[in-house]
């Protein structure tokens, strides 16, 4: 929906967006711009884009709204940066980026912006599937069926991409009927790691991780969030171990460190 003329959002947001666009254009000026910004391309900026998205998620996890405001600004800068490089190359401009996502959101919410009576996640996924098929036609692949797994971004974190691939496959009926199947597969993969040669081991560990994600999915657990929480828990407990031992932590033998670990684990039960 377009922002109405004279609304607070239009008055406040767009001048600052225009300011940011001008700043990026100045930074990218080949004569008077910043040497670092001018030297960048899509590939070199992409890691920063990913990093900024994670920093947004981190601020949300910590509940730090002031930091979230700053991190969203950093992420917005990434959109401006990529759009500016694309405009310089004659590919597209920021306005087209905004138009593209606006068109997509309206198209995927026909119950809000169209004639559909109601909407659902299933309807959303059906629309996305139709979009992928239409893209195949636009790319000259009209005679080639669009695969169910097509379009799952390679740059996603591995756990998240694994879950998305499995969900896509499940929609075609290729899935375990319940959690017992992937659970058994986890133990099967562990046995295969034990029997694997050194050359085969990495592949088998990959299969194990894939199976663990599948099991988590059937249990209704978000594997990415679960592992993030496990990392945070490990960091907290390890820091508590170091605090308990003082400066002598590194010199402790493994048995002493294990005893400390068990001690800090017990803290949550007190």
């Amino acid at each position: 929906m377009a922002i109405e003329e004279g609304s607070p959002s239009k008055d406040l947001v767009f001048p600052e967006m225009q300011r940011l666009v001008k700043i990026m254009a100045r930074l990218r000026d080949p004569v008077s711009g910043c040497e670092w910004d001018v030297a960048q391309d899509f590939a070199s900026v992409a890691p920063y884009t990913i990093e900024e998205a994670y920093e947004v998620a981190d601020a949300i996890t910590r509940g730090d709204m002031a930091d979230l405001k700053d991190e969203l600004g950093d992420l917005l800068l990434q959109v401006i940066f990529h759009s500016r490089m694309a405009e310089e190359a004659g590919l597209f401009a920021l306005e087209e980026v905004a138009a593209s996502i606006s068109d997509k959101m309206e198209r995927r919410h026909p119950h809000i912006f169209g004639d559909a009576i109601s909407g659902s996640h299933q309807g959303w996924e059906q629309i996305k599937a139709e979009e992928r098929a239409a893209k195949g036609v636009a790319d000259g692949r009209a005679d080639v069926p669009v695969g169910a797994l097509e379009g799952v971004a390679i740059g996603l974190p591995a756990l998240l991409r694994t879950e998305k691939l499995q969900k896509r496959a499940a929609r075609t009926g290729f899935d375990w009927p319940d959690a017992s199947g992937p659970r058994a597969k986890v133990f099967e993969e562990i046995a295969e790691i034990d029997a694997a040669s050194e050359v085969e081991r990495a592949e088998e560990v990959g299969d194990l991780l894939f199976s663990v994600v599948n099991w988590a999915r059937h249990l209704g657990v978000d594997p990415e969030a679960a592992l993030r929480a496990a990392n945070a828990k490990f960091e907290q407990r390890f820091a508590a171990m170091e605090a308990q031992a003082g400066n002598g932590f590194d010199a402790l033998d493994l048995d002493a460190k294990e005893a400390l670990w068990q001690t800090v684990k017990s803290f949550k039960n007190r």
Side-chain angles (χ1 to χ4, degrees):
M1 298 175 64
I3 298 175
E4 295 180 3
E5 195 72 30
S7 71
S9 294
K10 182 177 179 64
D11 292 341
L12 293 173
V13 174
F14 282 83
E16 291 305 318
M17 283 288 289
Q18 293 166 2
R19 179 186 174 200
L20 186 55
V21 168
K22 290 177 181 178
I23 289 171
M24 180 51 64
R26 178 76 180 275
L27 291 172
R28 287 281 296 178
D29 188 287
V31 177
S32 59
C34 170
E35 181 179 352
W36 185 89
D37 290 277
V38 172
Q40 302 311 306
D41 58 25
F42 294 115
S44 65
V45 175
Y48 298 102
T49 308
I50 295 170
E51 180 181 343
E52 296 301 349
Y54 276 115
E55 291 183 358
V56 166
D58 179 64
I60 293 170
T61 299
R62 291 184 286 104
D64 188 334
M65 295 298 104
D67 198 27
L68 177 60
K69 179 190 69 174
D70 290 341
E71 297 301 345
L72 285 171
D74 291 342
L75 185 58
L76 176 60
L77 178 63
Q78 297 299 307
V79 176
I80 304 295
F81 206 150
H82 284 286
S83 298
R84 178 63 194 179
M85 291 187 291
E87 185 173 4
E88 291 168 358
L91 299 173
F92 54 81
L94 178 63
E95 292 84 355
E96 294 169 89
V97 174
S100 177
I101 186 58
S102 295
D103 290 345
K104 183 185 295 184
M105 294 306 291
E106 290 178 347
R107 187 171 60 247
R108 292 184 179 179
H109 295 84
H111 58 298
I112 304 296
F113 302 104
D115 299 328
I117 297 175
S118 62
S120 66
H121 181 71
Q122 184 176 1
W124 170 280
E125 293 298 339
Q126 177 61 34
I127 293 171
K128 287 174 65 176
E130 292 170 356
E131 289 173 351
R132 289 194 295 272
K135 185 176 186 300
V137 172
D139 291 342
R141 295 178 289 140
D143 297 331
V144 180
V146 178
L149 305 185
E150 188 167 330
V152 180
I154 295 175
L156 288 172
L159 284 178
L160 178 57
R161 188 163 193 267
T162 297
E163 185 181 26
K164 283 184 174 291
L165 289 171
Q166 291 173 357
K167 285 181 175 179
R168 287 276 192 92
R171 290 188 203 121
T172 72
F174 187 68
D175 197 13
W176 299 99
D178 55 45
S180 63
R183 181 182 186 278
K185 191 67 177 174
V186 166
F187 290 100
E188 178 184 323
E189 296 298 347
I190 292 173
E192 291 184 6
I193 292 172
D194 290 339
S197 67
E198 188 173 348
V199 174
E200 299 167 331
R201 197 169 295 147
E203 179 181 351
E204 297 299 343
V205 169
D207 291 344
L208 172 61
L209 293 173
F210 190 92
S211 297
V212 169
V213 172
N214 213 355
W215 189 13
R217 181 174 61 86
H218 277 270
L219 293 173
V221 174
D222 179 342
E224 188 78 22
L227 185 55
R228 193 181 303 121
N231 288 339
K233 181 168 63 177
F234 179 79
E235 287 178 315
Q236 292 167 358
R237 289 178 176 177
F238 195 88
M241 288 169 61
E242 291 176 315
Q244 288 278 316
N247 295 331
F249 178 76
D250 289 355
L252 296 176
D253 62 23
L254 184 57
D255 288 340
K257 288 174 180 173
E258 175 62 23
L260 274 176
W261 178 259
Q262 295 302 325
T263 297
V264 299
K265 278 182 64 178
S266 69
F267 287 167
K268 69 175 184 178
N269 297 322
R270 294 180 182 178

